[in-house]
Amino acid sequence: MTHSRTVELEGHIIDSGTMQRCFGAVMDLGGSFDVEQFDVGKHETEESYCRLTVSADDPETLRDILHELHQNGAVLEDPSEVDLVAAPADKVVPPNFYSTTNHPTEVLYDGEWIDVERIEMDCALVVDPEGASDGSPRAYTKTLNAVQEGDLVATDQSGIRVNPPERPRSGGGAFGFMQGGVSAERPSESTIREVAEELRAVKEDGGNVMVVAGPAVIHSGAGDALADLVAAGYVDALSAGNGFATHDLERSIYGTSLGMNVETLEHPRKGHKHHIWTISEIIRAGGIEAAVDEGIVTEGVMYECVENDVDTVLAGSIRDDGPLPDTITDAVEAQDAIREQAHDADLVIMLATLLHSVAVGNCLPSTTKTVCVDINPATVTQLLDRGSAQAIGMVTDIGTFVPTLAEFVLEGDEA
């Protein structure tokens, strides 16, 4: 016995490869399809439409196929309303709950499609019938540990519509130059200038810029340039770890980063102790802000973040020395703090940190422009493999990228 359902695809489905991915998914999962209608958009702004019947030998296979198609933006013809089941206990979701993608999503509730707020991947989708400020229904995501007993959680794919971002028909516009994934062969200077122009454009439009930074930014000598960008108002949020902040503070107090003079590459006597002495001094002062107020820390990225009221989250790890009193050592608390930063960001620049880049990438919607820079292409590759398809990577030395970026951004201020 054959089991079938009809689905619809609409948008720039040819240019973006959506139709090809959907056809391939059906065949890869052991199904078949019959295209019933196919209208091709013939102009740059005209969308295409495809309606196809998908068939499989058993309902389980059909369900798997429909799930895959749904992730790529396909919608069931005449969809039923979203199926909601009350969470049986705190942090417990019903079986077959819908796990979100990071793409813009809508739910069909009470006859209306409702946008899902705070979209990110791997969350539960909750509907509050009267949760909006005007008493209308509200849909939003919740991490599993935030689910409360009685929350109305969406199950399966019924009444849910995913809208993956589409490649611009023209191939141009903001970030059009970066399409194509990870590469070490793009012309670095022109690419960095494009990033600088986008950074300036976001700030001119009143947008929010988030920087995710690893210790190599300081150790490579790029800290001064990042501090200049913070001082000039081009960074609204900083997400980093204990190591980044410690290296930066050490450089302000002792002139070294992990015991090495960044300018001369010399290792002063007892320089290997500077990072732990730095942590001790910050603890003694009562924190980074107090150390800035007391004149212990007089320059650097953390100094500029304090002086310019930049939202800063330092997320701890099991290997941290100290840690600094500002470091969040509770993993769930750190996740929640990063999540708040990520949801406010319009542009995210990730600099030489695998763990923090992946962590932030997991919290971002696919519509947030993201640049990931690392000398190791595996960093960007892993970010993409985790589902952050909007992240485009530059494989280059961070010690070159950040100063060049700052130069291009700040020269615009002087023009």
Side-chain angles (χ1 to χ4, degrees):
M1 179 179 177
T2 301
H3 300 263
S4 303
R5 291 296 299 270
T6 300
V7 299
E8 298 173 311
L9 290 164
E10 191 169 6
H12 298 307
I13 57 178
I14 301 174
D15 305 64
S16 299
T18 301
M19 191 171 67
Q20 180 182 352
R21 287 194 301 273
C22 288
F23 288 176
V26 174
M27 293 183 288
D28 290 345
L29 293 172
S32 61
F33 62 87
D34 179 33
V35 177
E36 298 181 354
Q37 182 178 344
F38 185 24
D39 300 326
V40 180
K42 298 178 181 179
H43 304 287
E44 186 173 307
T45 58
E46 188 176 349
E47 297 183 341
S48 300
Y49 171 83
C50 180
R51 184 174 71 247
L52 62 154
T53 297
V54 181
S55 303
D57 292 336
D58 56 82
E60 291 76 17
T61 300
L62 180 61
R63 187 181 303 113
D64 290 342
I65 292 172
L66 293 176
H67 173 81
E68 190 67 26
L69 296 181
H70 172 265
Q71 305 298 297
N72 284 283
V75 181
L76 289 173
E77 187 180 43
D78 299 323
S80 57
E81 292 214 348
V82 62
D83 180 36
L84 301 175
V85 177
D90 290 351
K91 304 181 182 181
V92 179
V93 290
N96 298 319
F97 78 98
Y98 175 73
S99 181
T100 57
T101 70
N102 60 349
H103 300 315
T105 303
E106 302 167 273
V107 295
L108 183 59
Y109 180 80
D110 199 19
E112 299 287 340
W113 286 103
I114 305 170
D115 290 332
V116 178
E117 303 169 19
R118 300 174 66 84
I119 193 68
E120 63 177 276
M121 67 176 72
D122 301 332
C123 290
L125 197 164
V126 174
V127 174
D128 185 341
E130 300 178 352
S133 58
D134 61 357
S136 61
R138 177 186 175 222
Y140 54 97
T141 62
K142 271 193 173 185
T143 58
L144 295 189
N145 62 47
V147 170
Q148 297 177 312
E149 181 178 356
D151 280 344
L152 297 178
V153 179
T155 65
D156 210 28
Q157 277 72 251
S158 174
I160 300 173
R161 183 163 64 192
V162 175
N163 301 298
E166 298 176 332
R167 186 178 71 83
R169 293 291 293 269
S170 64
F175 278 23
F177 71 99
M178 298 180 74
Q179 295 161 8
V182 184
S183 175
E185 298 179 356
R186 292 192 180 93
S188 294
E189 185 169 317
S190 59
T191 304
I192 298 171
R193 189 175 292 278
E194 292 278 4
V195 176
E197 291 174 359
E198 182 64 25
L199 175 56
R200 290 182 59 84
V202 168
K203 291 306 302 175
E204 287 172 2
D205 289 341
N208 182 289
V209 176
M210 179 180 182
V211 170
V212 184
V217 173
I218 308 301
H219 208 55
S220 66
D224 288 345
L226 181 54
D228 289 343
L229 287 172
V230 176
Y234 286 99
V235 178
D236 299 287
L238 173 70
S239 178
N242 187 73
F244 171 86
T246 299
H247 288 353
D248 177 71
L249 296 165
E250 175 192 338
R251 189 160 184 271
S252 176
I253 297 174
Y254 295 103
T256 59
S257 172
L258 206 60
M260 182 188 74
N261 186 303
V262 174
E263 282 75 27
T264 66
L265 304 184
E266 295 177 349
H267 289 76
R269 184 172 177 271
K270 296 186 177 180
H272 62 286
K273 298 182 179 181
H274 287 175
H275 78 285
I276 200 69
W277 287 350
T278 296
I279 295 171
S280 177
E281 287 303 302
I282 301 301
I283 294 173
R284 191 192 318 276
I288 296 173
E289 184 174 353
V292 170
D293 292 342
E294 293 180 20
I296 298 171
V297 175
T298 58
E299 61 181 348
V301 179
M302 302 309 299
Y303 171 84
E304 295 295 349
C305 285
V306 170
E307 291 291 287
N308 293 277
D309 197 27
V310 171
D311 178 32
T312 302
V313 172
L314 303 180
S317 71
I318 196 67
R319 66 185 184 278
D320 287 339
D321 289 322
L324 294 164
D326 303 80
T327 300
I328 304 173
T329 56
D330 183 298
V332 174
E333 183 183 345
Q335 285 180 12
D336 289 342
I338 290 172
R339 185 167 284 112
E340 290 301 317
Q341 289 183 311
H343 286 168
D344 288 337
D346 298 296
L347 171 66
V348 179
I349 301 177
M350 301 173 172
L351 304 173
T353 170
L354 171 60
L355 295 180
H356 288 271
S357 294
V358 171
V360 172
N362 287 350
C363 299
L364 292 172
S366 61
T367 51
T368 302
K369 296 185 180 73
T370 305
V371 182
C372 185
V373 184
D374 203 297
I375 196 65
N376 182 2
T379 297
V380 186
T381 300
Q382 183 164 341
L383 186 68
L384 293 170
D385 288 345
R386 291 284 296 166
S388 299
Q390 83 281 17
I392 307 300
M394 277 191 68
V395 180
T396 189
D397 174 28
I398 202 70
T400 300
F401 175 85
V402 180
T404 306
L405 177 66
E407 177 186 347
F408 289 158
V409 170
L410 299 178
E411 76 179 8
D413 290 342
E414 298 170 358

